[in-house]
Amino acid sequence: MNSQIIVIFGASGDLTKRKLMPSLYWLYKHNRLNASFALLGIGRTPYTDETYREFIEKQLPLFAAPTELDAISVSNFLQHIFYYSMDPADKEAYAELKARLKMLDQQISNPGNYLYYLATPPSLYGVIPKYLQNVGLNIEIGEQTRRIIVEKPFGYHLSSAQELNYIYNSVFREDQIYRIDHFLGKETVQNILALRFANGIFEPLWNRNYIDHVEVTAVENLGIEERGGFYDKSGALRDMVQNHLIQLVALTAMEPPALFNADSFRNEVVKVYQALKPLTNEQIKSQVIRGQYTTAHSEAHIIKGYREEKNVDPLSRTETFVATKLYIDNWRWGGVPFFIRTGKQMPTKVTEIIIHFKPTPHSLFKGMAGNSSLNSMIIRIQPNEGIVLKFGLKVPGSNFEIKQVSMDFTYDRLGGSPVGDAYAKLLEDCMLGESTLFTRSDAVEASWKYFDPILALWENDPCMPLYGYPAGTWGPLEADNIMGTDYAWTNPCKNLTNTDLYCEL
């Protein structure tokens, strides 16, 4: 890996201290960074190099894995960190930023390779690239590399996403732009591809002939914490569904790429988005359920409702829960429903994909309930990454009674790098110029094209219902309606822990 300066805009913010610094420290400790790298934090907080290093030193033990921390490594890592106090919204400050980068170049013998990370509020996403362009910090000369990473949400609807794409593509080439979705950095998400395309026993079954329906769930047992100001302007659909969940749908449904490279992989992702069957207004009303958590009482304490959270409008109609049914109109998936849901203040924290296979055409044995199938595959992304394959076997005894059993596997059994540090994986990919797991501009727009009509109807029709659900439950009862009489949501147990791969209520 070449020498490089990593420039983090928003260096005093929550994302930097919780995710970026621990991940960069892990890369440093495991010798995955060039010895002559530097990290320049940018923010309005008036730190110096030394006071910012002291701040990071205090934060690392709170968010980095305790087993990774040792005094010598932390001390050496901190010496690579610098800070420059400026307002990223101030156009005039970028000339001085350029001068500071030139000084750092000389100090670490860096030929002008810069990686910009926008850990800022979305309001600055369209501003920072243009101001970098004004002083030539986007231009690559000779063998230089200039790349930019931008966090979600990439736009708030289709038109704003198109506007951002226009700005970024006028400042950088597409191969310099890295739209990050940390879900794609998770080992289990990447292993969906290996599971499907490295095994001849699964891919022949991965279609409408053998799969009955698919569930994708990503829920949390926390509220919005201190993010009320941001969350009340976005909601669950923008925060989770339009990016994270639809990415999981794409990985589950995509065709095998001809080659495993960035272009071939991302081409297949875009094809899935383009094949999403558009919803009419009537279908939106019946197939997209939104909810908002309300106050709940328990013996131990009171969980306050969303509208009582800090910086949330007391009359807010922002959704904290979304459940929907969608179809992919292509040869492989025609007629197979995909049920997706996400929510705050759920009974547990879990992200998983469940593949429900069709039942056998004729039930020979007792214990097989009607049209339901004994066969399913659970791909658990968190909290304990792994796979469960469920099938039927005979109960010991004289009668042919069939019961469902399971085989399970967790990814930590494979060894290698610790599972779970998605940001470390994606940061390293970006430094190496590997863009496979980053979202391309056409994928962003194709996703927004599908979800835009839903947001428009919610915003323009005051009669669109917003269902309440008590905090700590599985969402509004109306979410069951989109499953119909043939299906039911799969709810993992409430006390799921990092050591549990699978259990049900």
Side-chain angles (χ1 to χ4, degrees), residues 303-321:
I303 305 175
K304 59 185 176 183
Y306 175 73
R307 294 180 182 180
E308 285 78 53
E309 298 277 15
K310 182 180 178 182
N311 296 325
V312 171
D313 184 345
L315 300 177
S316 174
R317 290 180 60 79
T318 297
E319 77 285 355
T320 61
F321 174 94

Side-chain angles (χ1 to χ4, degrees), residues 130-146:
K130 292 188 290 187
Y131 291 169
L132 290 171
Q133 182 185 39
N134 287 344
V135 294
L137 284 174
N138 62 317
I139 299 172
E140 297 175 336
I141 300 174
E143 298 298 317
Q144 287 179 344
T145 61
R146 305 278 169 94

Side-chain angles (χ1 to χ4, degrees), residues 5-8 38-42 82-84 97 100-101 104:
I5 298 177
I6 303 164
V7 183
I8 300 179
L39 195 160
L40 179 63
I42 304 292
F82 303 86
Y83 188 85
Y84 182 64
L97 171 61
R100 179 64 190 272
L101 286 170
L104 269 181

Side-chain angles (χ1 to χ4, degrees), residues 304-477:
K304 59 185 176 183
Y306 175 73
R307 294 180 182 180
E308 285 78 53
E309 298 277 15
K310 182 180 178 182
N311 296 325
V312 171
D313 184 345
L315 300 177
S316 174
R317 290 180 60 79
T318 297
E319 77 285 355
T320 61
F321 174 94
V322 175
T324 186
K325 175 171 65 175
L326 58 84
Y327 289 93
I328 298 170
D329 262 357
N330 62 20
W331 192 271
R332 180 185 290 262
W333 296 108
V336 177
F338 283 71
F339 299 96
I340 63 177
R341 64 174 170 171
T342 186
K344 298 285 188 183
Q345 288 293 12
M346 300 275 104
T348 190
K349 178 177 181 178
V350 63
T351 301
E352 64 186 15
I353 302 164
I354 306 181
I355 310 298
H356 295 273
F357 294 95
K358 288 185 176 180
T360 56
H362 177 55
S363 299
L364 293 175
F365 310 110
K366 64 179 180 178
M368 300 180 69
N371 292 323
S372 65
S373 175
L374 292 169
N375 305 139
S376 62
M377 178 184 290
I378 302 164
I379 303 170
R380 173 67 52 75
I381 295 166
Q382 60 180 4
N384 190 20
E385 296 88 343
I387 294 174
V388 177
L389 183 62
K390 305 183 80 174
F391 51 92
L393 282 180
K394 176 185 174 295
V395 176
S398 59
N399 295 323
F400 271 89
E401 180 183 353
I402 305 300
K403 291 191 69 173
Q404 191 179 60
V405 298
S406 62
M407 291 192 302
D408 62 80
F409 166 79
T410 55
Y411 282 106
D412 54 14
R413 299 177 193 172
L414 286 176
S417 301
V419 174
D421 196 347
Y423 274 96
K425 162 66 176 171
L426 294 173
L427 282 165
E428 184 177 25
D429 278 1
C430 184
M431 294 176 204
L432 294 171
E434 173 53 67
S435 58
T436 300
L437 297 177
F438 293 83
T439 307
R440 207 166 59 191
S441 59
D442 52 350
V444 171
E445 293 185 16
S447 175
W448 274 120
K449 186 176 181 180
Y450 178 79
F451 289 107
D452 229 26
I454 300 173
L455 290 168
L457 190 61
W458 286 354
E459 292 167 4
N460 298 326
D461 186 348
C463 296
M464 285 296 296
L466 174 69
Y467 301 103
Y469 63 95
T473 65
W474 282 103
L477 297 176

Side-chain angles (χ1 to χ4, degrees), residues 95-328:
E96 296 179 10
L97 171 61
K98 183 176 183 178
R100 179 64 190 272
L101 286 170
K102 291 293 184 185
M103 291 174 59
L104 269 181
D105 283 341
Q106 295 175 1
Q107 187 172 335
I108 68 168
S109 300
N110 178 51
N113 298 327
Y114 305 140
L115 169 59
Y116 308 109
Y117 199 116
L118 273 58
T120 66
S123 58
L124 292 172
Y125 288 179
V127 172
I128 293 174
K130 292 188 290 187
Y131 291 169
L132 290 171
Q133 182 185 39
N134 287 344
V135 294
L137 284 174
N138 62 317
I139 299 172
E140 297 175 336
I141 300 174
E143 298 298 317
Q144 287 179 344
T145 61
R146 305 278 169 94
R147 300 175 182 134
I148 188 165
I149 302 178
V150 58
E151 280 276 343
K152 71 173 183 69
F154 200 80
Y156 283 93
H157 35 57
L158 178 59
S159 61
S160 60
Q162 290 172 330
E163 182 180 354
L164 275 179
N165 276 336
Y166 175 79
I167 291 171
Y168 277 78
N169 287 316
S170 66
V171 177
F172 297 96
R173 300 185 311 274
E174 181 64 36
D175 65 317
Q176 294 176 278
I177 306 166
Y178 291 74
R179 300 169 189 84
I180 192 168
D181 182 341
H182 72 272
F183 263 46
L184 291 186
K186 294 179 181 292
E187 284 291 340
T188 317
V189 173
Q190 298 166 55
N191 261 307
I192 296 171
L193 303 176
L195 175 74
R196 289 187 56 193
F197 304 136
N199 297 290
I201 60 174
F202 295 129
E203 185 58 21
L205 308 180
W206 216 264
N207 56 61
R208 59 185 171 82
N209 295 321
Y210 299 99
I211 292 178
D212 188 64
H213 65 287
V214 178
E215 288 181 75
V216 181
T217 292
V219 295
E220 294 181 300
N221 54 358
L222 298 173
I224 58 169
E225 299 179 289
E226 298 298 316
R227 300 170 66 219
F230 161 76
Y231 198 90
D232 207 38
K233 295 182 178 67
S234 58
L237 191 143
R238 287 186 173 98
D239 189 44
M240 289 292 294
V241 180
Q242 182 272 332
N243 37 68
H244 296 330
L245 266 68
I246 205 63
Q247 286 273 18
L248 296 182
V249 169
L251 291 177
T252 305
M254 66 186 285
E255 295 294 324
L259 299 170
F260 193 71
N261 59 33
D263 285 340
S264 296
F265 171 80
R266 298 198 289 182
N267 287 344
E268 299 304 332
V269 169
V270 171
K271 289 177 185 177
V272 174
Y273 293 165
Q274 292 172 337
L276 293 170
K277 187 175 182 179
L279 297 173
T280 64
N281 284 350
E282 289 304 312
Q283 289 171 329
I284 292 172
K285 293 175 182 178
S286 62
Q287 292 180 205
V288 186
I289 302 298
R290 61 175 180 164
Q292 186 185 92
Y293 64 84
T294 58
T295 303
H297 299 262
S298 68
E299 294 181 2
H301 59 283
I302 298 175
I303 305 175
K304 59 185 176 183
Y306 175 73
R307 294 180 182 180
E308 285 78 53
E309 298 277 15
K310 182 180 178 182
N311 296 325
V312 171
D313 184 345
L315 300 177
S316 174
R317 290 180 60 79
T318 297
E319 77 285 355
T320 61
F321 174 94
V322 175
T324 186
K325 175 171 65 175
L326 58 84
Y327 289 93
I328 298 170

Side-chain angles (χ1 to χ4, degrees), residues 475-493:
L477 297 176
E478 288 77 7
D480 295 339
N481 295 338
I482 64 173
M483 304 292 280
T485 58
D486 296 328
Y487 310 117
W489 293 106
T490 305
N491 294 331
C493 62

